[in-house]
Structure formats: structure tokens, C-alpha cells
Amino acid sequence: MADVLDINIFKVKAAAERAFAPWRKRFGESFNLESRLIDLSDEVICFLAETGEETDLAFYELILGALNMGKGPKFYYMEGRVRLMVIDIHLFLVDQVRFECMRRLGWLESFPGARYPIIYMVLNYKRLEGEFRNSTPQLARNQPDYVRFQELPPVERESLIRRKIPLALIEFKKRLKSE
């Protein structure tokens, strides 16, 4: 049994190394098996929260490396079903990054992805996506919509939070520039 555990740990460490090697080069920061979103710098969070080709490629590098499917640019040549899986993981991670951005602004108390290492979220996407679907990020008590948020059904709570994302990204960038 110990051999099985050692092999699994080795596989996850290898996945993390493949996934984070391009990020170390891209961002000039350290990432490892235990890296969570909370551990990333504001600059990295800001970059990953944006939309665009460079951001997409950074996520593809991470996901394809973790899944041992090649380098990031290979995404553009993948077959449909596999490509859709990578896109699903990408969108799932972008949500978590944006929630982390909102948490840093003090807009959220917590969100499901905060407690998991990034590599774990990639490798366990299917299970976590289902779990997170039933666990809405928690709006901070200091937010003007907090009382309304508490009164809403769970599905509408998440919608309220998602409507705040564009403003959160603007505010986060402003804060980053002023520091």
C-alpha cells in the first residue's frame, strides 16, 4: 500500500513540475505542488483574471502540463472532446482566480477554491466542479448587497457575485497600480 501512495505522490509532484515550469518562466515566481491561489502575487492574480490570448495560453500551459498532454500551444491543435475538457478546466480556474481577486479586495469572505492547491484543482476538476456548484462564494458582510445576498436563493446569490466581477477587476487593477 505504501508503494501505491508513493507512486501517486510522485505522479502529482511530476504533474506540478510540468504544469508550473512554464509559469515560473512566464511570471518569474515560484510555484509548487502546494501553491494555492492565495499564494500568488497580486500581479499574477491580475494577469490570470483578465481575458485574452496570453492569459488563455498561460492556463493551457498549466492544464496541459498537469495532465501530461504537452505544451500550451498544443491546445490549438487538439481534437474537439479533449479541447472542450481543457476549456472547461480553464473556465473553472478563471472563476476561482476572479473570486480570489474579489477576496483580496475584501468583497468575499470565502469561496470554495481557496482551500485547494491549484494543481489539485486541475487534476480533480470533475469532482470539484460538482462540489463547487453547490457551494456559493460568501459575500463579505461589509458589502452593500450583503443583506439582499443573504435573502436570495443560492443560485441567485452566485449570479449577484458574478455581476460584480467586471467592477472587481477594474478596482483590483486600480489598487495594483496605486501600490
Side-chain angles (χ1 to χ4, degrees), residues 29-128:
E29 297 185 16
S30 178
F31 305 96
N32 62 48
L33 177 67
E34 298 298 322
S35 294
R36 295 178 301 151
L37 294 173
I38 195 170
D39 301 320
L40 303 184
S41 69
D42 284 350
E43 292 79 12
V44 172
I45 289 293
C46 190
F47 176 85
L48 293 173
E50 288 293 328
T51 55
E53 282 185 45
E54 276 302 304
T55 303
D56 293 348
L57 184 57
F59 277 109
Y60 300 152
E61 290 167 346
L62 175 84
I63 295 163
L64 295 181
L67 299 176
N68 201 18
M69 297 172 80
K71 307 264 186 225
K74 184 178 177 188
F75 167 81
Y76 300 103
Y77 306 101
M78 298 178 115
E79 65 138 278
R81 195 181 88 251
V82 175
R83 191 177 202 179
L84 285 175
M85 177 193 66
V86 173
I87 290 170
D88 286 345
I89 297 170
H90 171 207
L91 295 174
F92 171 75
L93 292 174
V94 169
D95 277 349
Q96 301 311 305
V97 167
R98 290 174 175 169
F99 294 151
E100 173 60 17
C101 174
M102 294 173 80
R103 187 198 64 78
R104 290 180 189 200
L105 287 170
W107 296 14
L108 293 181
E109 289 292 326
S110 65
F111 64 97
R115 66 182 177 265
Y116 294 105
I118 297 164
I119 198 72
Y120 184 85
M121 287 193 286
V122 174
L123 296 175
N124 296 283
Y125 157 74
K126 281 265 192 233
R127 185 180 67 74
L128 292 176

